[in-house]
Amino acid sequence: MPSFVLDRSRMIQKNISLKPYNTFGLDVTASHFATFSSLDELNQILHLTETNESQLLVLGGGSNLLLTKNFEGLVLKNELHGISILKTENEFTYVKSAAGEVWHNFVLFCIENNLGGVENLSLIPGSVGAAPMQNIGAYGIEIKDVFHELEAYEIATGKIRTFNLTECKFGYRESVFKQELKNQYVITSVTFRLTKNPKLNTSYGAINDELQKQGISNPSIKDVSNAVIAIRKSKLPDPKEIGNSGSFFKNPVVLKSHLEKLKVTYADIPSYPVDETHVKLAAGWLIEKAGWKGKTIGNYGVHKNQALVLVNYGGAHGSDIFKLSEDILQSVKTKFGVELEREVNIL
Ligand code: EPU
């Protein structure tokens, strides 16, 4: 028997539950499943597998995913590990992290080394490799603000390509890897540009309030991280306790003229400037005002402290949560004339 058949059966498992691998805790099955902790392993798995790109799912932390049915294809779990400081040049320190590292562990590494830039992104679920996919952001910072470059494995050729900031085409919860290069690359490492003398961004209201509450007037990088952790814990459910994938919808961008019309009825509607003619609205506010906040339907629903977050209390089906998201989309459209867009990937 040729050796690759033996290798294949060793590396690729069949009919594996994905419940431990998605933060919604949805119990669907993958027909094929493999982990890789080196590029060699990734190469071997992809060369041994007769699969096409639409049948491939690369998992980081599984934190931005709604699995509505069993997955007929190969799920690849990225377990590339290692974080290292590459160099310090002028005021910047370059830190490279393998894509399979847990995002918050990377943030903690930076804080321990007194490197500023990612403290506002503390406690975001998911992996380092998933972070640039959707340009994760919170409390006034997005990954693009600290990004240097990333390396990615091209599935078709097995070659490693480096992407710089421009090539990633970052936008609000967007990148080239969610658009034209979708399913073509496996991100293997990300290099960040951090600094020992950061200008801390505490302008986001809730951070200042939290620091004041703690009696801190001259915060360190770690103080800001702790404040963000406290805010997130108070508002957002911990996926280890209640299944969820953070914000389910994006904050919608609408015409300023539409906001003006809404203000006639809803004087207190929150909005954030985008450009001359557009503003961003708070999807959480719209969903709450449409009556959904805290609504529970059996074993799933809308979180009680943050209406942007849909939750699985245990045993829910992804298709039920998807249906709930459709009902929310429809009711926000009817009440406010605003089309919400899902942030989470639906499979
Ligand atoms: N709001 C409500 N009701 C709610 C939720 C929010 O009225 O149920 C209002 C708030 O009072 C506030 C406004 O909406 O006036 C904005 O709320 P918040 O500051 O909580 O932030 P968000 O816009 O709802 C975004 C990100 C979060 C990120 C926070 C903090 C998106 C889709 N979400 O939420 O990201 O943590 O800002 O920066 O942009 C994620 O992407 O998974 C995520 C959690």
Side-chain angles (χ1 to χ4, degrees):
M1 193 185 285
S3 64
F4 72 84
V5 175
L6 287 175
D7 277 346
R8 184 189 168 112
S9 61
R10 184 175 60 83
M11 298 180 94
I12 299 178
Q13 299 169 271
K14 285 192 176 162
N15 300 322
I16 294 292
S17 168
L18 294 180
K19 192 169 176 203
Y21 303 109
N22 72 101
T23 59
F24 253 123
L26 297 163
D27 193 6
V28 303
T29 302
S31 64
H32 296 83
F33 180 91
T35 63
F36 62 95
S37 48
S38 69
L39 289 180
D40 263 359
E41 275 182 11
L42 176 60
N43 240 327
Q44 284 187 51
I45 293 163
L46 288 174
H47 283 112
L48 295 172
T49 312
E50 286 155 30
T51 180
N52 63 44
E53 60 193 37
S54 66
Q55 292 174 299
L56 190 66
L57 170 64
V58 183
L59 275 184
S63 58
N64 200 36
L65 199 59
L66 182 73
L67 295 161
T68 60
K69 51 182 184 289
N70 289 339
F71 187 78
E72 296 302 326
L74 175 64
V75 172
L76 270 177
K77 173 89 172 76
N78 187 332
E79 286 185 355
L80 298 170
H81 290 295
I83 305 176
S84 54
I85 294 178
L86 293 185
K87 59 177 179 183
T88 298
E89 224 171 63
N90 303 322
E91 78 261 43
F92 293 113
T93 299
Y94 294 80
V95 182
K96 182 173 183 173
S97 172
E101 289 289 339
V102 170
W103 171 261
H104 186 58
N105 289 345
F106 166 71
V107 172
L108 293 177
F109 175 94
C110 297
I111 290 165
E112 273 158 27
N113 285 281
N114 200 30
L115 292 170
V118 284
E119 55 283 351
N120 292 34
L121 305 178
S122 296
L123 213 62
I124 294 184
S127 66
V128 168
M133 296 281 294
Q134 56 152 353
N135 183 25
I136 58 169
Y139 308 107
I141 298 282
E142 289 180 339
I143 207 181
K144 70 166 171 47
D145 303 324
V146 287
F147 179 89
H148 177 58
E149 64 185 24
L150 63 75
E151 288 174 328
Y153 172 99
E154 190 176 22
I155 294 167
T157 61
K159 288 195 180 129
I160 296 289
R161 175 174 161 193
T162 303
F163 289 80
N164 66 22
L165 181 67
T166 318
E167 289 164 329
C168 288
K169 299 190 184 171
F170 290 126
Y172 169 55
R173 299 295 192 275
E174 280 297 348
S175 78
V176 74
F177 304 103
K178 267 179 95 173
Q179 300 294 338
E180 61 261 40
L181 298 185
K182 193 172 174 168
N183 292 335
Q184 292 183 34
Y185 284 88
V186 178
I187 294 173
T188 56
S189 73
V190 187
T191 302
F192 299 88
R193 206 179 63 146
L194 303 163
T195 170
K196 287 215 187 281
N197 301 303
K199 200 178 157 299
L200 296 173
N201 184 339
T202 59
S203 57
Y204 199 91
I207 297 188
N208 265 331
D209 295 350
E210 183 61 37
L211 289 169
Q212 261 182 20
K213 205 166 87 187
Q214 295 181 15
I216 297 167
S217 53
N218 192 11
S220 64
I221 298 170
K222 195 175 171 70
D223 291 332
V224 174
S225 168
N226 285 340
V228 168
I229 290 172
I231 302 164
R232 288 189 74 97
K233 282 190 169 162
S234 72
K235 274 195 172 181
L236 297 166
D238 179 349
K240 288 195 193 94
E241 288 156 22
I242 303 175
N244 77 90
S245 66
S247 299
F248 197 92
F249 303 97
K250 291 184 185 180
N251 284 331
V253 173
V254 301
L255 283 170
K256 268 186 182 169
S257 54
H258 192 66
L259 172 66
E260 293 313 318
K261 273 190 236 153
L262 290 172
K263 271 188 176 165
V264 175
T265 318
Y266 309 101
D268 61 341
I269 183 169
S271 66
Y272 314 93
V274 171
D275 58 30
E276 295 264 289
T277 45
H278 294 86
V279 288
K280 197 182 265 186
L281 302 181
W285 187 93
L286 298 170
I287 297 168
E288 176 174 348
K289 292 291 178 248
W292 290 98
K293 193 170 183 173
K295 198 170 176 84
T296 300
I297 306 137
N299 49 9
Y300 61 99
V302 180
H303 193 244
K304 62 179 180 3
N305 297 336
Q306 166 54 290
L308 256 189
V309 179
L310 304 189
V311 288
N312 170 16
Y313 292 107
H317 291 289
S319 52
D320 293 333
I321 295 172
F322 183 76
K323 169 75 171 58
L324 170 62
S325 74
E326 288 209 305
D327 293 345
I328 292 172
L329 283 174
Q330 192 51 54
S331 95
V332 167
K333 173 115 175 68
T334 307
K335 192 171 171 74
F336 300 105
V338 175
E339 298 241 17
L340 293 182
E341 194 188 323
R342 294 179 185 88
E343 188 201 281
V344 166
N345 296 308
I346 313 290
L347 275 179

